[in-house]
């Protein structure tokens, strides 16, 4: 069995977890590739070349963005061929507001393609919009304990595949645990929220190019000042990383942080990492 680790990680937490899985596969001597969707432009071709149409096991990670999986991750899954006898382990990192329906969304698309889903994880992380302030939601995560939980999950998955275990989680097990809130979140799937308009303060912009080089979608062209293109999936990396604060949104960062903190109180979700698995029933309700 070949293994693929694929993730998108504008701010680095989802990558950290991807690398923890990589370490586990290395320790177990497995044949794998790792593809970072924000740094490679054709992860799908990389996966197809590596797997050559044979069954494989895909670890796939996304940050939770406004309750959902990141659009490029869903596009990657959409582009995969149907994969009977293949396995998938969706994971998300979330910033202490609500873990959302990202793993549900990924699992739905993966199950439709015939993947079996032996496990999945929601990993608590420092909130990326709060990366430059003291005491962000999810501060200090993912930490060693979170990484160990994911590594343990990866080991169990490999063991199960080796032993021919074909059990899979069903979609319901991966849904947001509160049905009312889950239904609310799912409305966004049929009526997507428009991308936040971004404007440039030309007086402040020094044309340094940080925004363009750090955009995981390659959506910013320097012409010579930054222009925002259609592939933007609204991760706000450019806004957070601009050293001059030259990228403006309709809401200030301070206001946004206040709204995020208020929203986290509404959900009141315990900020912890949860591994869901058919292999070992260690999931606890949120
Ligand atoms: C635009 C945006 C929306 C977000 N929405 C949520 C959310 O709905 N719930 C949550 O808990 N965290 C949310 N976060 C925080 C991220 O999910 C979290 O920080 C994640 O670990 C980021 O992953 P990365 O470091 O790989 O980019 C959001 C972050 C951004 C930038
Ligand atoms: S990061 Fe900021 S200052 Fe640099 S090019 Fe982009 S908008 Fe301009
Ligand atoms: S343009 Fe900005 S918000 Fe859009 S994908 Fe790129 S970095 Fe993220």
């Amino acid at each position: 069995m070949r293994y693929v680790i694929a993730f998108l990680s504008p701010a680095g937490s989802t990558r950290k977890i991807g690398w923890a899985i990589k370490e586990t596969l290395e320790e177990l001597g497995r044949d794998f590739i790792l593809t970072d969707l924000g740094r490679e432009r054709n992860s799908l071709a990389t996966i197809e070349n590596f797997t050559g149409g044979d069954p494989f096991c895909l670890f796939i990670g996304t940050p939770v963005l406004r309750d959902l999986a990141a659009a490029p991750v869903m596009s990657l899954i959409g582009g995969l061929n149907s994969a009977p006898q293949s396995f998938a382990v969706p994971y998300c990192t979330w910033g202490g507001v609500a873990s959302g329906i990202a793993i549900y969304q990924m699992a739905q698309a993966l199950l439709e393609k015939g993947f079996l889903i032996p496990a999945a994880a929601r990993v608590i992380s420092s909130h990326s919009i709060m990366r430059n302030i003291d005491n962000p939601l999810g501060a200090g995560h993912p930490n060693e304990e979170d990484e160990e939980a994911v590594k343990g999950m990866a080991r169990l998955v490999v063991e199960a595949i080796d032993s021919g275990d074909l059990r899979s989680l069903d979609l319901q097990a991966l849904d947001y645990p509160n049905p009312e809130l889950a239904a609310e979140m799912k409305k966004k799937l049929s009526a997507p929220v428009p991308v936040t308009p971004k404007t440039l303060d030309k007086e402040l912009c020094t044309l340094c190019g940080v925004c363009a080089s750090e955009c995981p979608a390659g959506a910013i062209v320097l012409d010579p000042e930054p222009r925002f293109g259609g592939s933007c999936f609204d991760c706000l990396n450019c806004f957070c990383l601009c050293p001059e604060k030259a990228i403006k949104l309709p809401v200030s960062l301070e206001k946004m942080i206040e709204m995020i903190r208020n929203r986290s109180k509404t959900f009141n979700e315990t900020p912890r990492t949860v591994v869901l698995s058919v292999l070992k029933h260690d999931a606890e309700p949120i």
Side-chain angles (χ1 to χ4, degrees):
M1 179 67 65
R2 289 182 170 172
Y3 291 82
V4 173
I5 307 162
F7 54 76
L8 182 82
S9 186
S13 292
T14 316
R15 179 176 302 114
K16 195 172 177 192
I17 295 304
W19 280 71
I21 296 167
K22 174 179 181 278
E23 270 176 39
T24 308
L25 295 180
E26 273 168 353
E27 279 162 22
L28 296 172
R30 301 298 145 150
D31 191 10
F32 72 91
I33 53 161
L34 179 148
T35 177
D36 183 333
L37 276 62
R39 294 185 173 167
E40 287 172 44
R41 287 291 154 248
N42 205 347
S43 294
L44 189 58
T46 305
I47 295 172
E48 280 168 0
N49 287 340
F50 177 70
T51 58
D54 292 334
F56 65 107
C57 175
L58 172 68
F59 288 90
I60 181 144
T62 183
V64 174
L65 302 178
R66 302 172 194 82
D67 304 327
L68 306 182
V73 173
M74 293 310 297
S75 299
L76 178 91
I77 296 174
L80 292 169
N81 294 321
S82 66
Q85 291 161 29
S86 285
F87 299 85
V89 180
Y91 73 91
C92 67
T93 65
W94 64 289
V97 183
S99 60
I101 52 168
I103 56 169
Y104 171 91
Q105 233 187 312
M106 292 192 282
Q108 186 174 41
L110 290 160
L111 289 166
E112 272 170 21
K113 298 225 171 227
F115 284 89
L116 298 168
I117 302 189
R122 304 184 180 104
V123 181
I124 183 69
S125 302
S126 174
H127 199 296
S128 54
I129 291 181
M130 302 184 180
R131 68 184 91 174
N132 295 322
I133 63 163
D134 290 339
N135 194 23
L137 289 175
H141 294 277
N143 60 19
E144 222 171 284
E145 217 176 293
D146 301 310
E147 288 185 57
E148 279 310 315
V150 172
K151 286 180 171 182
M153 173 188 77
R155 271 184 227 110
L156 276 178
V157 167
V158 172
E159 260 174 45
I161 292 174
D162 283 354
S163 67
D165 190 339
L166 294 178
R167 283 177 296 162
S168 177
L169 289 164
D170 62 22
L171 198 50
Q172 214 184 334
L174 297 166
D175 206 350
Y176 193 72
N178 178 318
E180 264 174 49
L181 294 172
E184 212 39 54
M185 290 170 182
K186 281 176 202 152
K187 285 184 189 163
K188 293 186 190 171
L189 298 176
S190 46
V193 179
V195 169
T196 316
K198 296 162 194 73
T199 50
L200 185 72
D201 185 330
K202 291 187 185 179
E203 299 287 309
L204 294 178
C205 176
T206 58
L207 309 180
C208 70
V210 166
C211 54
S213 63
E214 296 296 329
C215 171
I220 302 179
V221 180
L222 295 178
D223 184 27
E225 75 270 9
R227 290 187 192 284
F228 303 94
S231 58
C232 170
F233 65 97
D234 227 4
C235 70
L236 305 187
N237 229 23
C238 52
F239 169 75
C240 293
L241 292 178
C242 172
E244 311 302 333
K245 302 199 182 338
I247 297 172
K248 303 293 180 192
L249 305 180
V251 181
S252 70
L253 180 61
E254 292 69 30
K255 184 75 195 157
M256 209 184 298
I257 289 173
E258 189 190 324
M259 285 157 59
I260 291 169
R261 287 203 194 277
N262 287 340
R263 197 164 172 260
S264 77
K265 287 179 196 145
T266 318
F267 285 95
N268 197 24
E269 186 173 335
T270 310
R272 64 189 285 268
T273 291
V274 173
V275 170
L276 300 141
S277 168
V278 279
L279 311 168
K280 189 172 161 241
H281 294 282
D282 50 2
E284 283 173 31
I286 289 168

